[in-house]
Amino acid sequence: MASVGSLVLRAVDPRRLRTVDDPTRDALFRVEWRPLPVRADLTTSVAVAEIGAAGDRFTDAPGYPDLRALAAAVGAGGEVPGAVVVRLDGGRAGGDLAAGVRAVTAQALGLVQEWLASDLFAASRLAVVTRGAVPVGGDSDGEHGKGAIDLVSAPVWGLVRAAQSENPGRLLLLDLDRADASGDALVHALAAALENEEPQVVLRGGELLVPRMVRAGEAGGPLLPPAGIEAWRLDTTGPGTLENLELVPAPEALEPLGEGQVRVSVRAAGVNFRDVLTGLGMYPDPDAYLGTEGAGVVTEVGPGVAGVAVGDQVMGLLPEAFGPVSVVDRRLVAPVPEGWSFEQAAAVPVAFLTAWFGLADLGGLSAGESVLVHAATGGVGMAAVQLARYWGAEVFATASEGKWDTLRAMGFDADHMGSSRDLGFEEKFLRVTGGRGVDVVLDSLAKEFVDASLRLLPRGGRFLEMGKTDIRDPQAIAEAHPGVSYHPYALTEISYDRLGEILSELGVLFERGVLESLPVRSWDVRRAPEALRFMAQARHTGKLVLTVPRPWDRSGTVLVTGGTGTLGGLLARHLVAGRGIRHLLLVSRRGPDAPGAAELVRDLHDLGAETVDVVACDAADREALASVLASVGGGRALTAV
């Protein structure tokens, strides 16, 4: 026992936690999902059974409708399985999110209680399978543009984790990709979890991940925006490594607007390979900046701006978009299509503008022609495939073999797809086309892959070079390959007027449903080094996006539940004094009758609050809470809870 006479607390500067000489860096930890190395041929060493409706089962293991049926089979002489698989996710919850959460969570609770109460399965493990229930690294907002996190089944993980802490060795959590319905993948993940005695395993893109404790000060931890700075951006403090990325002040983003400019509150920004090269100090343009595209809300318009107003949601080529504020020429933004998220919109501009300008403006691609799109599972590649098919062209594609399932899902058959990791595509596509080859090549590869691609233009054609690491001499290409025109290009070389025209045309096609947004995988901008490393390793399909923390809207109303209690009062005071919030709605069971409520209101007004409404409402009473929410409106709409 110890007797403490006094205790002194001191504030910790979060930035010091990332420095080597800080004595606290070894004291603070966080959880990261790390790869679990496993053999490709690993199989389960125990008998497996699966419970659930026949149509919902993942595996070929013996199936039973519920635990009682399984117990009956064991009682009749059957083998006690070492692992029992059950699916608990929101895939069948329908459109009512709240009802789905209640139903799936109640089902999980009942199942876990039944499992733990049975002595029959005391030596077995219940494997609870979810899909997209856990945010891992970059899928917090959707690897496929539809939201990767299943809010219905996410509570299942919290419930089962609590049960795991009290019943070690009895429960296992497995979370699959939302797009991966492979029973083999599930069995492999189950085998890995059992062999390594892992209580929680997540499968993402064929990779098994497990939670690990890491020091908060280790490289790779979240970046920290400058304290008290409204405008900041991602930048590198030195070339050679992505570990030198930092969030630095960007006061220039707040300077008065010039003719034709608009200021945008950035909500999401697309990641491109140019950003990787810039972060490493390898991009040929020394003035290149990080972040070239994004989506957000217009907060100010400059002189001479027409067609864009404050409050409009826009997407486009936003300079230095890896931060909360960007100033852009009005011609380089267009409205976000109806129903799109900011993440979807941020993934579009560079990919579709690059593909359109290359194929149409430079390549003159027309109906009946053929085109080879390299790296067709990347952002530009996927955009190019959509556009080429829209224009009536025959499309051939390459990608690493690990991404061929994505090509098949895009509608490619075996004759029209090849590997981007070896030169076999040249011979294959020449054979498939009877030696004709193709009319256009959209290239992002280098060295011998460029030479092989040029030989796929035996009748002449157009070679469109997007890459930056192996630029050839157009005259030399023309001499070596008669009839071939060679076009290296970049968006920075295109006039703003032409970019604006293409953006407008794309907007029409998106609104009509002719074109679709790209698959998206997102990271918070404070974890930008992870996203750029992920792209550098070519592990992605579609687009990577960085989401930007939304700033507090000081003109709106902030609701605080339990607002008259001790914690609620402290938070309310902080919101006013520290965040500049001027309109508060404090909700508690006793409301104005709560002890200290009147004093709290006076304090908040003294700190600078303009309106403080205290309302009696039990936040667990759905109808009462709905009534309170409905009362908020006008010029002070609810902007935070």
Side-chain angles (χ1 to χ4, degrees):
M1 297 184 65
S3 175
V4 178
S6 65
L7 177 67
V8 178
L9 303 180
R10 64 182 178 88
V12 176
D13 180 359
R15 293 186 168 277
R16 292 194 62 196
L17 297 178
R18 305 184 75 230
T19 63
V20 175
D21 59 349
D22 186 75
T24 64
R25 72 184 302 269
D26 286 337
L28 191 63
F29 289 77
R30 58 187 172 85
V31 176
E32 271 198 2
W33 290 91
R34 297 288 179 90
L36 177 66
V38 293
R39 304 191 313 273
D41 60 349
L42 182 65
T43 58
T44 53
S45 58
V46 300
V48 177
E50 184 167 359
I51 60 175
D56 293 333
R57 295 175 190 158
F58 283 105
T59 70
D60 295 328
Y64 304 89
D66 50 37
L67 272 180
R68 292 183 181 180
L70 173 58
V74 172
E79 181 181 10
V80 177
V84 177
V85 175
V86 59
R87 172 183 177 180
L88 288 176
D89 64 38
R92 296 145 292 155
D96 190 335
L97 177 62
V101 169
R102 286 193 293 271
V104 174
T105 307
Q107 181 187 4
L109 177 61
L111 179 66
V112 170
Q113 288 174 332
E114 184 180 0
W115 175 263
L116 296 175
S118 173
D119 294 333
L120 185 62
F121 304 112
S124 305
R125 185 172 296 193
L126 180 67
V128 178
V129 180
T130 56
R131 191 190 299 279
V134 184
V136 177
D139 53 24
S140 61
D141 288 293
E143 187 171 351
H144 304 281
K146 299 178 181 178
I149 303 309
D150 177 8
L151 297 180
V152 173
S153 53
V156 171
W157 269 66
L159 187 151
V160 175
R161 272 197 299 245
Q164 283 180 328
S165 67
E166 299 174 0
N167 303 273
R170 299 293 312 281
L171 300 161
L172 167 65
L173 282 163
L174 294 174
D175 192 62
L176 308 182
D177 286 316
R178 294 195 73 179
D180 186 358
S182 169
D184 292 339
L186 169 62
V187 171
H188 185 65
L190 176 62
L194 294 175
E195 179 175 88
N196 293 277
E197 297 184 353
E198 295 287 347
Q200 302 166 30
V201 176
V202 166
L203 179 67
R204 292 292 185 269
E207 185 176 41
L208 293 178
L209 305 171
V210 291
R212 290 291 185 265
M213 297 293 290
V214 298
R215 286 182 170 84
E218 285 185 5
L223 305 179
L224 296 171
I229 301 296
E230 182 177 350
W232 44 265
R233 60 183 173 85
L234 184 70
D235 201 358
T236 179
T237 58
T241 173
L242 297 177
E243 302 305 329
N244 290 330
L245 292 174
E246 292 286 350
L247 301 178
V248 301
E252 62 277 6
L254 301 178
E255 293 178 356
L257 296 178
E259 186 76 19
Q261 290 184 324
V262 298
R263 201 180 323 271
V264 177
S265 174
V266 181
R267 303 297 167 77
V271 180
N272 297 285
F273 195 66
R274 160 185 159 144
D275 298 313
V276 176
L277 296 177
T278 302
L280 293 171
M282 298 171 58
Y283 196 72
D285 181 1
D287 297 324
Y289 49 79
L290 290 164
T292 56
E293 64 177 332
V297 179
V298 175
T299 59
E300 185 181 356
V301 298
V305 171
V308 175
V310 172
D312 287 353
Q313 296 185 6
V314 296
M315 63 182 186
L317 299 180
L318 305 184
E320 298 181 337
F322 296 159
V325 185
S326 177
V327 175
V328 60
D329 189 290
R330 185 266 173 271
R331 292 169 290 181
L332 300 184
V333 295
V336 173
E338 185 71 26
W340 279 24
S341 68
F342 287 117
E343 290 85 351
Q344 288 175 280
V348 161
V350 165
F352 278 89
L353 285 170
T354 301
W356 184 300
F357 187 81
L359 294 178
D361 292 47
L362 297 179
L365 184 67
S366 59
E369 291 191 310
S370 57
V371 57
L372 168 59
V373 177
H374 280 305
T377 59
V380 177
M382 285 187 161
V385 169
Q386 287 193 52
L387 289 170
R389 287 172 172 169
Y390 168 63
W391 290 323
E394 181 182 14
V395 185
F396 294 83
T398 67
S400 62
E401 291 191 34
K403 299 177 181 178
W404 279 12
D405 284 344
T406 301
L407 288 180
R408 294 185 185 97
M410 293 166 63
F412 286 98
D413 57 28
D415 286 343
H416 286 78
M417 63 185 195
S419 174
S420 58
R421 298 297 175 88
D422 61 61
L423 303 178
F425 67 84
E426 177 190 356
E427 179 183 352
K428 178 178 183 177
F429 292 155
L430 284 174
R431 173 175 50 80
V432 169
T433 60
R436 297 188 311 275
V438 297
D439 300 294
V440 177
V441 173
L442 184 63
D443 183 63
S444 56
L445 306 181
K447 298 181 179 179
E448 64 270 18
F449 291 88
V450 172
D451 300 315
S453 301
L454 285 166
R455 292 191 293 269
L456 280 169
L457 298 168
R459 299 171 294 126
R462 292 85 79 194
F463 192 96
L464 313 172
E465 179 59 79
M466 301 183 299
K468 302 299 176 189
T469 58
D470 188 12
I471 302 297
R472 308 290 179 90
D473 178 23
Q475 184 61 38
I477 295 294
E479 293 174 358
H481 301 274
V484 174
S485 58
Y486 178 83
H487 304 276
Y489 74 103
L491 291 184
T492 54
E493 303 163 1
I494 308 170
S495 72
Y496 283 8
D497 287 332
R498 180 56 187 146
L499 289 170
E501 291 170 357
I502 299 175
L503 271 177
S504 296
E505 293 182 71
L506 286 169
V508 172
L509 296 177
F510 284 122
E511 291 287 0
R512 288 170 46 196
V514 174
L515 301 177
E516 297 180 348
S517 60
L518 300 174
V520 173
R521 183 165 184 170
S522 63
W523 275 259
D524 189 291
V525 68
R526 290 163 289 193
R527 306 196 76 89
E530 292 180 19
L532 268 61
R533 274 193 294 271
F534 195 84
M535 173 167 280
Q537 296 163 3
R539 297 165 61 190
H540 66 293
T541 58
K543 284 285 290 189
L544 303 185
V545 167
L546 298 181
T547 58
V548 181
R550 179 176 178 175
W552 289 90
D553 184 349
R554 297 183 178 90
S555 65
T557 297
V558 176
L559 182 150
V560 181
T561 60
T564 59
T566 301
L567 181 59
L570 289 170
L571 179 58
R573 290 180 175 91
H574 170 72
L575 288 170
V576 176
R579 294 294 183 178
I581 301 302
R582 294 295 173 257
H583 309 286
L584 287 168
L585 173 58
L586 308 182
V587 173
S588 66
R589 289 183 177 88
R590 300 178 64 180
D593 296 331
E599 180 185 357
L600 173 60
V601 172
R602 286 194 299 271
D603 288 350
L604 294 173
H605 282 300
D606 290 343
L607 290 170
E610 296 176 15
T611 59
V612 181
D613 295 321
V614 182
V615 178
C617 173
D618 183 351
D621 185 330
R622 184 179 181 85
E623 292 184 2
L625 183 59
S627 177
V628 171
L629 295 176
S631 70
V632 184
R636 300 196 299 269
L638 188 67
T639 54
V641 177

